[in-house]
Amino acid sequence: FPKDSEYAQVCRNISEIRLCMEAGRMVILLNLENLYESLYDVLNQYYIESGGHRYVDLGLRAHRMKCRVHENFKLILIAEREKVYKDFPTPLINRLEKHFVTSTTVLRDWQQSICTELQEWVKAFVNTESGFQEENVFVGYNPDTAAAVVLQASADLEDQTTAIEGSDVFKKEILDHSKQLLLQLATPDSIIRAMGDKVIDAGRKLHQIYFMDQQHSSLSALITVKTGSLLQVTTHSPSLLQEEIERLRNDLDIDESNIDRYHLESFQTEQEFLDNIDKAIEKG
């Protein structure tokens, strides 16, 4: 957010980190590049010991201050690999203990085999020989999607299946559910192509799942079947107009005061955004 990079906000963030350092709480940093220069000594674990305690310098431009570091304090910096190699200064990279983590990393052996089968199914579904890529067919698809979907499917069916974990029946249930989750991200034209593709034997079943069992026709229809869920809807359409909000209110039979519409560009700070989200959740 625009004002998160201002000096006053940087000072507030550094102050919060300092309190966590003293209390021994874990700090996780994400998209806070404007703080990293102030934390070089912390990242480098350049501590000074005195009276049985550890201290480190925190920098704020020309100002530096000594801060006590609790023995249980941990600092984790999260960033995408491409961003690290492209934007992070070499001294910062050298100061970090680096770990490359993806959804695949946390998969168990039987989940790994399901993930491999799912990726093969995706390639057959997309039919890359026709010029289409996975991201053209499944909105937001990336190399980590298949593993993330398998993890979600495993969590969804954890208490619903009677099959023994790791058995062939269990793995088939997870694989089928994973395919359905991916179909939620598919474009309508990809389903039509799959129905006529000889590689996909279950074309008509896909049609039944996508157009009959799942909801892709309207936002109100989706919300109706996903009551109580937190949803992220990706669309190429512009944000909801007032007329569309009225239609949504009528379709769902809810009070207009329970519908909040926010534009991200209207927020100046992350805290302002979070405060508005908290208010919306409290109303619900």
Side-chain angles (χ1 to χ4, degrees):
F1 294 94
K3 291 188 176 181
D4 280 343
S5 57
E6 292 185 352
Y7 183 67
Q9 183 60 41
V10 172
C11 291
R12 284 192 288 269
N13 290 336
I14 291 295
S15 179
E16 289 186 26
I17 293 173
R18 181 178 62 83
L19 293 175
C20 292
M21 289 172 57
E22 294 175 350
R25 296 168 57 190
M26 181 185 296
V27 173
I28 299 176
L29 302 180
L30 176 65
N31 297 329
L32 289 172
E33 288 82 356
N34 53 345
L35 296 183
Y36 301 158
E37 185 176 352
S38 300
L39 300 172
Y40 272 4
D41 283 347
V42 180
L43 295 170
N44 202 35
Q45 299 186 38
Y46 187 71
Y47 302 140
I48 298 173
E49 294 194 7
S50 176
H53 299 295
R54 297 184 303 174
Y55 298 87
V56 71
D57 283 341
L58 288 183
L60 282 171
R61 295 185 181 175
H63 305 287
R64 303 191 70 80
M65 54 183 174
K66 284 278 190 299
C67 301
R68 181 178 170 182
V69 184
H70 194 283
E71 60 180 7
N72 294 330
F73 172 70
K74 295 184 183 298
L75 180 65
I76 298 175
L77 192 158
I78 299 177
E80 294 185 1
R81 180 176 58 178
E82 292 76 12
K83 186 174 183 62
V84 170
Y85 291 142
K86 181 180 178 181
D87 299 332
F88 280 29
T90 301
L92 174 60
I93 297 177
N94 292 339
R95 282 171 164 81
L96 300 175
E97 177 185 333
K98 293 166 282 292
H99 299 274
F100 182 62
V101 180
T102 65
S103 295
T104 307
T105 309
V106 298
L107 291 180
R108 298 161 71 178
D109 290 341
W110 59 268
Q111 291 174 319
Q112 290 276 9
S113 64
I114 296 174
C115 184
T116 301
E117 288 186 63
L118 185 62
Q119 290 171 328
E120 293 174 353
W121 176 83
V122 167
K123 290 181 180 179
F125 184 93
V126 173
N127 189 9
T128 53
E129 294 180 359
S130 63
F132 292 96
Q133 300 299 322
E134 288 86 346
E135 59 268 24
N136 304 133
V137 172
F138 300 103
V139 178
Y141 192 91
N142 61 68
D144 208 30
T145 298
V149 167
V150 170
L151 286 172
Q152 182 62 53
S154 302
D156 290 346
L157 298 183
E158 183 177 7
D159 299 323
Q160 300 180 21
T161 181
T162 56
I164 300 175
E165 183 178 298
S167 66
D168 291 341
V169 174
F170 181 79
K171 289 193 287 188
K172 185 178 184 308
E173 290 181 1
I174 299 295
L175 179 61
D176 289 343
H177 189 55
S178 297
K179 292 177 181 179
Q180 292 183 30
L181 291 176
L182 270 180
L183 287 176
Q184 289 274 15
L185 309 177
T187 58
D189 57 294
S190 67
I191 303 297
I192 302 302
R193 288 195 302 272
M195 289 180 61
D197 196 330
K198 295 181 181 179
V199 178
I200 304 296
D201 298 326
R204 295 200 175 276
K205 182 180 179 181
L206 294 176
H207 180 277
Q208 171 68 31
I209 294 173
Y210 188 87
F211 291 105
M212 304 298 178
D213 299 341
Q214 297 180 351
Q215 294 295 335
H216 298 273
S217 59
S218 67
L219 180 59
S220 57
L222 176 63
I223 294 176
T224 299
V225 299
K226 295 290 185 178
T227 302
S229 301
L230 295 174
L231 299 177
Q232 175 179 314
V233 180
T234 303
T235 176
H236 295 291
S237 303
S239 57
L240 291 174
L241 302 175
Q242 186 59 39
E243 179 182 345
E244 294 171 313
I245 291 179
E246 287 292 333
R247 189 182 308 124
L248 185 65
R249 182 179 66 83
N250 293 330
D251 290 345
L252 300 176
D253 191 27
I254 59 178
D255 191 89
E256 187 175 1
S257 61
N258 289 324
I259 299 179
D260 295 286
R261 177 180 57 177
Y262 301 120
H263 294 277
L264 282 178
E265 58 268 22
S266 67
F267 298 107
Q268 297 299 308
T269 66
E270 179 185 4
Q271 191 59 51
E272 183 183 352
F273 170 73
L274 293 175
D275 289 343
N276 278 271
I277 296 300
D278 288 340
K279 290 177 182 177
I281 293 176
E282 288 174 2
K283 285 198 305 183

